[in-house]
Amino acid sequence: ATPAEERDLVIVGGGVAGYVAAIKAGQEGLKVTCIEKRGSLGGTCLNVGCIPSKSLLNNSHLYHQILHDSKHRGIEVGDVKLNLGQMMKAKETSVNGLTKGIEFLFKKNNVEYIKGTAAFADEHTLAVNLVEGGETSVRGKNIFIATGSESTPFPGLTIDEKKVITSTGAIALDKVPKKMIVIGGGIIGLEMGSVWSRLGAEVTVVEFLGQIGGPGMDVEIAKNTQKILAKQGMKFKLNTKVASGDDSGEIVKLHVEAAKGGKEETLEADVVLVAIGRRAYTSGLGLENIGLETDNRGRLVIDSEYRTKIPHIRVIGDCTFGPMLAHKAEEEAVAAVEFLTKGYGHVNYNAIPSVMYTHPEVAWVGQNEAELKEAGVKYKVGTFPFSANSRAKTNADTEGMVKFLADAETDRILGIHIIGPNAGEMIAEGVLALEYGASTEDVGRTSHAHPTLAEAFKEAAMATYGKAIHY
Ligand code: FAD
Ligand code: NAD
């Protein structure tokens, strides 16, 4: 299309929110353009987030398992050596394959892809600085903003992605640090901390709150997780805040103190990972040119149909409200396009799962105990440990549990929390149950194949309305 030609939809950002909306719009027959400044599609998730981190988590787990958990299985290996360069190459291969795959899907679905940085010139026009040089402009009847998020910086520390790093540096270190301090015991801190701990770094996690796992993780599960990760070698300092940092020398020094004041000490590390959360990103988008404002956390404000106060401009993904998760962005993308083409769309925000890809994995959906207590909901609890599950025993991978929370009166499932092998795959069953308004008895009376880890899921459900058989 020429600059003067008006598209049905122009999308700023080719991350999960943006690229999924573009494909969906193409499928619906809209004339759609997606503008991405990074030079490759897939956004944070594919380029520097979900995908590269999971590649490193998988391969560092294999390495660690071969080193420490193979002899008793009857597997004796010779010299086990880490080839970090090759591990990084394997990561890049998975990233490149997937980002190229989206370009292919764009072509297949007639999505116009412009590599460049977009800024609003007016309410229907975006001025684009092209990656390859030069400028163009694009007009859209409708516009989606899907510009994502960025790491929240830590005041007083300068990110150089070598010594003081964000997750972007943590997926690309060229050697294993001796000592790594992670500021923030949320998902990024625990996933990337796990990777480097498995590869040989001495990792200490400093967390401001009294529990690890970030927002949403059930307290009992978080405690369990901490115990298991500590057994693997990670150290934790909870209820501790970093008061100041000094990154002027080769070794980074962090001055930490008890969150409520009191005990102080100085910690030293050769690499510090700042993982205190992410914040919405809209810099350089020219919002001021169209009078759009952000809230106190930098997020674009929208209504229930993803519309800003300029109704033909919608916002989806990390740069607006809700959990910063790829699959949440994806659901919003489809719903927002459906609002355009059909006039209705829907996302059930109570049934968005969370998964932490450590070993064992942690996964949950719905509400946790603290949230139910605060809401004054009467609930019952059913749990089942993997140590009583035959497949987990066979695999000699028995740490963790499944926990159901259900309405005390109606038995309707309110939340499901899992720590255990393959929890991230298992939670899909929980999401489906929640979506269909299932009771724990619905799950407990559903046949699950034997011997599978999923039987622990069924038995935890049984334990909520009655008794588990094997525990
Ligand atoms: P983004 O993916 O950030 O995409 C926004 C895109 O917009 C970017 O590519 C950016 O370059 C582009 N852009 C911004 N401004 C402009 C402009 N003016 N013009 C043109 N282009 C622009 N989530 C999960 O669900 N599972 C995981 O396992 C997971 N792991 C993660 C691991 C890490 C280390 C990190 C950092 C995040 C992880 N996430 C995970 C979160 C996930 O990456 C985000 O929720 C997801 O990427 C959000 O998608 P988005 O499209 O809203 O934003
Ligand atoms: P987070 O919100 O999960 O955790 C940040 C943690 O840092 C919290 O526990 C918080 O209490 C702590 N913290 C904040 N300020 C601190 C301070 N000054 N000192 C010590 N601790 C402090 O954020 P994150 O781990 O940075 O992840 C960012 C986003 O990326 C999240 O929204 C997450 O959902 C997403 N993400 C998801 C996945 C996944 O789904 N597997 C993986 C990585 C990232």
Side-chain angles (χ1 to χ4, degrees):
T2 62
E5 236 175 287
E6 191 170 68
R7 281 80 167 165
D8 297 317
L9 174 62
V10 176
I11 301 167
V12 185
V16 178
Y19 92 69
V20 171
I23 291 173
K24 179 75 184 165
Q27 288 171 347
E28 301 271 310
L30 299 187
K31 190 187 219 184
V32 57
T33 298
C34 180
I35 309 166
E36 167 58 57
K37 67 176 182 174
R38 189 185 292 270
S40 72
L41 292 168
T44 304
C45 179
L46 268 72
N47 292 282
V48 291
C50 328
I51 298 304
S53 63
K54 264 82 259 182
S55 169
L56 292 177
L57 276 156
N58 187 57
N59 291 336
S60 63
H61 175 63
L62 279 175
Y63 169 74
H64 194 258
Q65 185 166 31
I66 293 167
L67 267 184
H68 303 288
D69 185 28
S70 54
K71 209 167 174 188
H72 71 103
R73 297 177 187 273
I75 306 166
E76 290 190 12
V77 283
D79 233 6
V80 182
K81 276 194 287 207
L82 172 68
N83 182 338
L84 187 58
Q86 183 56 35
M87 200 178 272
M88 291 297 169
K89 269 196 200 137
K91 173 202 76 176
E92 279 149 31
T93 304
S94 52
V95 168
N96 291 337
L98 288 165
T99 54
K100 290 274 163 2
I102 299 172
E103 275 191 46
F104 165 77
L105 291 172
F106 269 19
K107 286 199 186 100
K108 190 176 156 196
N109 291 289
N110 299 318
V111 177
E112 182 189 29
Y113 170 29
I114 298 180
K115 292 187 186 178
T117 306
F120 281 98
D122 63 47
E123 290 182 4
H124 283 281
T125 313
L126 290 150
V128 186
N129 253 319
L130 297 167
V131 169
E132 63 204 17
E135 285 167 20
T136 188
S137 73
V138 181
R139 284 181 59 75
K141 204 157 131 194
N142 296 283
I143 295 173
F144 283 4
I145 301 175
T147 48
S149 62
E150 61 177 355
S151 312
T152 307
F154 190 86
L157 288 177
T158 312
I159 305 285
D160 63 1
E161 298 296 10
K162 297 253 179 281
K163 206 164 60 175
V164 180
I165 61 176
T166 65
S167 52
T168 301
I171 56 163
L173 291 178
D174 56 11
K175 64 173 197 280
V176 180
K178 243 205 225 107
K179 280 190 179 181
M180 175 184 266
I181 295 176
V182 180
I183 310 182
I187 307 274
I188 290 183
L190 299 179
E191 286 188 350
M192 296 320 299
S194 284
V195 166
W196 294 105
S197 160
R198 292 164 184 171
L199 298 181
E202 191 187 297
V203 175
T204 304
V205 176
V206 182
E207 167 59 52
F208 184 76
L209 300 176
Q211 110 173 46
I212 59 166
M217 195 183 286
D218 187 80
V219 180
E220 186 181 8
I221 300 284
K223 278 190 185 141
N224 242 308
T225 307
Q226 190 186 336
K227 231 185 265 164
I228 294 169
L229 293 179
K231 249 200 312 194
Q232 293 171 10
M234 279 166 82
K235 296 199 174 95
F236 294 94
K237 284 189 179 293
L238 302 191
N239 299 305
T240 304
K241 73 171 180 219
V242 178
S244 60
D246 174 5
D247 54 18
S248 56
E250 209 166 290
I251 298 288
V252 187
K253 291 184 180 152
L254 295 182
H255 190 69
V256 304
E257 57 189 43
K260 291 188 183 115
K263 204 173 154 241
E264 295 177 27
E265 65 180 313
T266 300
L267 304 176
E268 295 188 347
D270 32 356
V271 172
V272 170
L273 167 59
V274 177
I276 56 170
R278 292 177 65 79
R279 63 182 185 192
Y281 176 82
T282 55
S283 304
L285 193 55
L287 293 177
E288 62 286 357
N289 299 337
I290 53 169
L292 276 188
E293 281 165 12
T294 56
D295 72 0
N296 60 352
R297 291 171 59 187
R299 299 175 299 192
L300 280 153
V301 178
I302 49 168
D303 67 11
S304 59
E305 297 186 9
Y306 308 102
R307 286 177 303 207
T308 61
K309 66 179 189 191
I310 306 169
H312 69 270
I313 301 179
R314 289 181 149 91
V315 190
I316 50 177
D318 279 10
C319 59
T320 187
F321 311 128
M324 290 186 175
L325 295 171
H327 43 283
K328 174 265 194 187
E330 187 168 352
E331 293 304 316
E332 289 184 342
V334 170
V337 171
E338 287 180 335
F339 273 117
L340 266 190
T341 56
K342 299 189 168 79
Y344 54 85
H346 182 68
V347 177
N348 178 358
Y349 287 94
N350 189 40
I352 304 279
S354 295
V355 180
M356 181 169 84
Y357 298 84
T358 46
H359 190 88
E361 292 179 348
V362 180
W364 68 93
V365 66
Q367 288 161 295
N368 63 35
E369 280 204 64
E371 287 161 353
L372 290 175
K373 274 186 193 134
E374 197 179 313
V377 178
K378 287 212 171 68
Y379 64 93
K380 50 189 180 174
V381 185
T383 60
F384 191 84
F386 281 101
S387 57
N389 170 271
S390 58
R391 186 62 179 278
K393 271 246 185 298
T394 317
N395 294 348
D397 195 2
T398 54
E399 280 176 319
M401 66 191 281
V402 181
K403 171 173 174 176
F404 273 76
L405 302 172
D407 188 286
E409 255 172 60
T410 65
D411 190 31
R412 189 188 175 115
I413 297 169
L414 301 173
I416 301 172
H417 304 265
I418 310 171
I419 173 169
N422 280 322
E425 301 290 342
M426 199 180 291
I427 199 65
E429 184 181 355
V431 181
L432 202 63
L434 209 69
E435 275 284 2
Y436 279 74
S439 64
T440 65
E441 193 168 349
D442 288 328
V443 175
R445 291 189 186 277
T446 302
S447 172
H448 285 64
H450 176 74
T452 59
L453 297 168
E455 285 174 290
F457 189 86
K458 170 190 162 91
E459 294 223 52
M462 290 171 86
T464 317
Y465 67 86
K467 277 190 175 147
I469 298 291
H470 295 94
Y471 186 66

